[in-house]
Amino acid sequence: VKKILVITDPFLKEIGLTDKVTHPLNEAGYITDVYTDVVPEPPLAVGEKLVSYTREHAFDMVIGIGGGSALDLTKLAGVIAVHEGDVADYLNLTGTKSITKKGLPSILIPTTSGTGSEVTNISVLSLETTKDVVTHDYLLADVAIVDPALTMSLPAKVTAATGIDALTHAIEAYVSKNASPVTDALALQAIRLISQSIRTAVHHGDNKQARIDLSYGSYLAGIAFFNAGVAGVHALAYPLGGQFHIAHGDSNAVLLPYVMGYIRSACEKRMKDILDTMGFSSTHLSQEEASHRCVEELKRLVEDVGIPSSLKGFNIGHDALDSLTEDATKQTRLLARSPMELCKEDIYTIYEAAFEGKVVDQTLVKA
């Protein structure tokens, strides 16, 4: 390796964080180039531009520093740059080409505690009204450096959104149809660490232990959902980001209690486990009672960290529910892992519940 592309967002370059990576490399004789054309929820066009830049300048390695968007783009650039064609050719839902080469060596350094992108094989891109992914094991980083110190200055709003994103990863991995004893252990420890530290990290951002717990929790949740997958919450969150450009963490957060409340009857025992892991004893509760309580506590947690608890809170009108439902039904890769099959009618009902801010239970709807 001689020539290294460092991919980050403009703010991290502005505050000098990237210098901690580039200066030692430059002193060691490496050539570095810092690329900052990174935006939250990156559109396909941003990915195409970065891949073209990486090809044209013949880099030997990529390093990503930042949140999920920067890391996802870094994975994309390192792999697609050594292939022919556009990024669009490799999208999961509509692409016609296959990834066949390992790509450039990569190092990923997250500065948020939430996305888990540093340990997954997925790059998410925003399309006109929804999202799609490029996914292959060759997108896995060669090295991930998780340093809680890099999250200490993260604003409360971003801490909340990315923290609930990580919690959603862990919860969906735990109730996934693809869960295993290995992912269960990772997911439960992630739920424990995140649920018991996120309020402190949001409201007292300088608390080191909270930041450490949130970082480890996010990392473990990333490995859990990389192996077990996420499902309904993410499937319904993608259209919120695509149509209304709501941050991915916020999209997951606003939907988490409503999706889990709707599918509750299909995973009662596991939701009882989640309630206990969050620090609430379910000793005197039946599985059904505990699963209801779990949904209540998830809704309360989202509210406590300052995220709107309904779609109305994001200025989304009732007239958007049909188009959101149409786009969510296309996320078959995600929906296939749900412990309860979610058809178009179910998805609309969940969106409507999230719009009204009132949890709806599937067992009552079907009755």
Side-chain angles (χ1 to χ4, degrees):
V1 172
K2 293 182 180 179
K3 195 174 179 182
I4 302 171
L5 178 61
V6 178
I7 300 161
T8 190
D9 67 62
F11 176 71
L12 295 181
K13 185 176 189 297
E14 183 183 318
I15 64 173
L17 186 61
T18 54
D19 294 341
K20 294 184 178 183
V21 172
T22 57
H23 284 177
L25 291 171
N26 295 152
E27 289 174 359
Y30 297 99
I31 300 168
T32 60
D33 183 0
V34 179
Y35 185 96
T36 61
D37 193 0
V38 171
V39 296
E41 316 299 319
L44 177 61
V46 171
E48 299 282 16
K49 182 179 177 183
L50 172 58
V51 168
S52 295
Y53 187 86
T54 308
R55 282 179 181 147
E56 290 167 9
H57 293 82
F59 292 102
D60 304 312
M61 170 179 261
V62 290
I63 298 177
I65 310 172
S69 297
L71 303 190
D72 276 12
L73 287 170
T74 301
K75 292 188 284 189
L76 192 73
V79 174
I80 304 301
V82 303
H83 288 76
E84 295 180 353
D86 301 326
V87 175
D89 296 326
Y90 297 90
L91 290 173
N92 176 64
L93 295 178
T94 57
T96 56
K97 293 183 183 293
S98 299
I99 292 172
T100 58
K101 303 174 188 174
K102 173 74 167 68
L104 305 176
S106 61
I107 298 174
L108 300 181
I109 308 171
T111 59
T112 67
S113 299
T115 70
S117 180
E118 71 276 8
V119 291
T120 66
N121 65 352
I122 302 171
S123 178
V124 183
L125 295 163
S126 296
L127 306 182
E128 285 188 13
T129 62
T130 187
K131 294 186 178 184
D132 201 356
V133 302
V134 176
T135 178
H136 193 281
D137 280 357
Y138 286 159
L139 268 71
L140 287 167
D142 292 288
V143 175
I145 300 173
V146 181
D147 183 354
L150 298 179
T151 71
M152 290 294 291
S153 60
L154 205 62
K157 188 176 186 302
V158 182
T159 301
T162 55
I164 297 292
D165 187 19
L167 181 63
T168 304
H169 293 155
I171 290 172
E172 290 214 281
Y174 190 61
V175 302
S176 168
K177 289 171 69 173
N178 296 341
S180 71
V182 175
T183 61
D184 287 351
L186 294 166
L188 286 174
Q189 179 66 346
I191 291 167
R192 179 178 294 106
L193 289 168
I194 297 166
S195 65
Q196 297 183 30
S197 65
I198 186 170
R199 289 180 175 89
T200 302
V202 169
H203 299 297
H204 305 282
D206 58 350
N207 186 298
K208 291 183 179 180
Q209 191 58 52
R211 292 294 189 181
I212 290 169
D213 289 348
L214 211 51
S215 289
Y216 274 115
S218 170
Y219 172 72
L220 292 171
I223 302 173
F225 94 83
F226 169 54
N227 286 279
V230 288
V233 179
H234 277 71
L236 274 66
Y238 277 4
L240 288 182
Q243 294 187 30
F244 295 96
H245 308 292
I246 298 172
H248 178 61
D250 287 332
S251 298
N252 276 332
V254 71
L255 291 168
L256 178 61
Y258 303 105
V259 174
M260 297 309 297
Y262 192 80
I263 69 170
R264 178 201 58 76
S265 62
C267 47
E268 282 184 354
K269 169 63 170 68
R270 297 213 152 217
M271 291 186 70
K272 187 176 190 289
D273 296 341
I274 291 169
L275 180 67
D276 287 332
T277 304
M278 290 175 68
F280 302 95
S281 175
S282 67
T283 304
H284 303 295
L285 300 176
S286 67
Q287 286 186 15
E288 181 181 4
E289 291 169 335
S291 63
H292 281 294
R293 174 76 187 280
C294 180
V295 174
E296 293 171 7
E297 293 302 337
L298 291 176
K299 193 169 187 289
R300 184 174 290 111
L301 178 57
V302 171
E303 293 169 350
D304 286 350
V305 297
I307 297 174
S309 57
S310 75
L311 297 184
K312 291 178 183 177
F314 289 98
N315 298 315
I316 295 173
H318 193 277
D319 58 352
L321 302 190
D322 284 324
S323 62
L324 289 170
T325 301
E326 284 294 331
D327 284 341
T329 57
K330 298 173 185 175
Q331 299 296 333
T332 53
R333 176 182 66 90
L334 303 174
L335 292 170
R337 304 173 186 135
S338 175
M340 175 185 290
E341 183 177 352
L342 296 174
C343 67
K344 186 176 180 179
E345 182 184 63
D346 297 315
I347 291 170
Y348 183 89
T349 301
I350 294 170
Y351 275 132
E352 194 164 50
F355 175 79
E356 296 293 346
K358 296 179 181 178
V359 174
V360 173
D361 193 316
Q362 187 264 358
T363 56
L364 299 178
V365 172
K366 298 301 181 183

